Amino acid sequence: NAGVMQNPRHLVRRRGQEARLRCSPMKGHSHVYWYRQLPEEGLKFMVYLQKENIIDESGMPKERFSAEFPKEGPSILRIQQVVRGDSAAYFCASSPMGARAGANVLTFGAGSRLTVL
Amino acid sequence: AQKVTQAQTEISVVEKEDVTLDCVYETRDTTYYLFWYKQPPSGELVFLIRRNSFDEQNEISGRYSWNFQKSTSSFNFTITASQVVDSAVYFCALSEARETSGSRLTFGEGTQLTVNP
């Protein structure tokens, strides 16, 4: 039973390039969450998606960041025109569609570590 | 808005000592869920426990125990007879029971626990 798969595990980009991070949720999970962890800090919520829908993007920066979770394929977090401040670990988590909001345990991937030169 | 505070940034103990990690939370909701996750040096996040706001029973799992007190809005985590393998960053997190946020977690800043031999 594969867990949450994230790739790439490490990504190096130069300022101004684009970064694409992919997340395949656990089998049977239809909810995906993206979090960002800056060095020496906790995890900050970015966006919550279900298949083909963005449910809550209140944590996403207003510019350059976007996310999608298409009907087929992984969820993608896209960062355009990266800057040094985007260097961080980006974690994806998934959960099943549980009966009660808030109760589901999120299963996290191993993270994608973005370094912007 | 919800908030989780882990006042202890770093704790260092010697093997076999008991150690308690503090967690204080804020929420206006009456229904919510509390979690602890472990992040070992390898970087992935490992789920440890979930409690709901209506269940104040303390829980023990091997060397781990959790003390949930609604009166003080605290959900503390104790490791008994600590081992070097317990060295990690530990995160406390809160989830509110709202459909629009799914099982979105608000994390504390984390406590870096170092267990020395």
Side-chain angles (χ1 to χ4, degrees):
Chain A
N1 232 356
V4 177
M5 304 302 292
Q6 288 189 250
N7 66 81
R9 292 293 311 277
H10 300 275
L11 182 64
V12 179
R13 285 286 178 266
R14 296 192 179 280
R15 281 179 296 170
Q17 291 184 320
E18 177 179 290
R20 282 192 180 224
L21 309 177
R22 288 177 291 280
C23 169
S24 296
M26 277 189 74
K27 190 175 181 181
H29 286 191
S30 56
H31 297 207
V32 165
Y33 305 76
W34 285 93
Y35 286 80
R36 177 165 65 175
Q37 185 177 30
L38 292 168
E40 309 299 325
E41 292 188 14
L43 290 95
K44 306 295 184 192
F45 168 77
M46 299 181 76
V47 62
Y48 161 43
L49 311 103
Q50 296 176 18
K51 285 281 187 182
E52 300 185 281
N53 283 305
I54 297 174
I55 307 301
D56 179 358
E57 55 181 347
S58 58
M60 286 280 268
K62 294 286 184 274
E63 297 176 349
R64 303 186 298 107
F65 285 72
S66 62
E68 62 176 6
F69 188 16
K71 187 176 179 182
E72 302 290 339
S75 175
I76 306 283
L77 179 68
R78 182 182 178 206
I79 311 171
Q80 295 178 287
Q81 300 175 326
V82 296
V83 301
R84 288 219 173 104
D86 297 332
S87 295
Y90 292 84
F91 287 91
C92 169
S94 71
S95 75
M97 185 174 64
R100 187 170 294 173
N104 296 307
V105 174
L106 299 192
T107 300
F108 282 82
S112 292
R113 280 147 185 86
L114 171 66
T115 301
V116 179
L117 301 178
Chain B
Q2 63 272 30
K3 184 179 178 183
V4 177
T5 301
Q6 294 180 255
Q8 304 150 307
T9 306
E10 294 181 25
I11 299 177
S12 183
V13 299
V14 177
E15 212 170 12
K16 297 183 183 171
E17 282 185 28
D18 298 349
V19 58
T20 295
L21 310 181
D22 297 335
C23 172
V24 174
Y25 61 91
E26 296 175 28
T27 177
R28 294 179 187 168
D29 289 9
T30 55
T31 302
Y32 52 89
Y33 300 85
L34 295 163
F35 301 78
W36 277 92
Y37 281 83
K38 173 182 179 179
Q39 187 177 40
S42 50
E44 75 277 18
L45 280 142
V46 179
F47 165 75
L48 295 177
I49 190 171
R50 175 193 64 193
R51 303 297 296 197
N52 74 58
S53 52
F54 298 108
D55 182 2
E56 285 193 73
Q57 265 196 331
N58 290 333
E59 182 154 340
I60 298 174
S61 176
R63 296 184 297 108
Y64 295 172
S65 62
W66 290 269
N67 184 343
F68 176 29
Q69 293 197 347
K70 283 179 81 168
S71 60
T72 55
S73 297
S74 65
F75 186 42
N76 297 337
F77 173 29
T78 297
I79 302 174
T80 303
S82 59
Q83 300 176 1
V84 173
V85 293
D86 295 327
S87 297
V89 180
Y90 290 86
F91 291 99
C92 180
L94 167 72
S95 174
E96 295 175 329
R98 298 185 188 170
E99 293 298 331
T100 52
S101 57
S103 294
R104 163 186 167 175
L105 294 173
T106 297
F107 283 89
E109 294 299 307
T111 298
Q112 169 71 62
L113 172 65
T114 301
V115 181
N116 298 299

